[in-house]
Amino acid sequence: MRNTGIIRNLDNLGRIVIPKEMRRVLGIEEKDPIEILIQDETIVLRKYEPADIFNGDKDNLIDYCGKKVSKASVMEMAKIAGIID
């Protein structure tokens, strides 16, 4: 991680403003989902990108019952189930 020198205060609802330049550099637009993670004692914010619920793959995703699954996982499950070789 690198230090930007930017400091922001939380408002009374616990919100912060991510500077416009940072959002532009990261490709974050208004209403984009942001993922919030904890790493050791650090809060990490990153643009949310859907991923396969089984292996985290972000390519060739399909929507199944509101969940993202990669075609590779579907093929693997079909092999395990004996549907295909």
Side-chain angles (χ1 to χ4, degrees):
M1 276 192 256
R2 60 183 175 191
N3 188 349
T4 64
I6 298 171
I7 308 262
R8 293 285 193 247
N9 291 323
L10 289 175
D11 70 7
N12 61 337
L13 295 176
R15 299 175 295 199
I16 60 168
V17 174
I18 301 170
K20 186 175 186 175
E21 178 62 21
M22 285 184 176
R23 289 178 288 158
R24 185 187 64 74
V25 167
L26 296 172
I28 298 172
E29 302 289 333
E30 185 176 320
K31 303 211 183 220
D32 279 352
I34 302 297
E35 192 170 16
I36 304 168
L37 305 121
I38 296 175
Q39 186 176 44
D40 300 320
E41 293 186 22
T42 302
I43 298 170
V44 177
L45 303 175
R46 68 178 176 202
K47 185 174 179 176
Y48 172 73
E49 294 183 37
D52 183 312
I53 61 170
F54 297 110
N55 64 16
D57 194 6
K58 295 183 180 183
D59 297 322
N60 298 315
L61 298 178
I62 57 174
D63 191 59
Y64 178 73
C65 295
K67 305 292 183 188
K68 299 295 183 191
V69 182
S70 69
K71 290 181 181 180
S73 286
V74 172
M75 294 299 289
E76 183 65 25
M77 287 185 275
K79 287 178 185 175
I80 293 169
I83 298 169
I84 62 172
D85 292 325

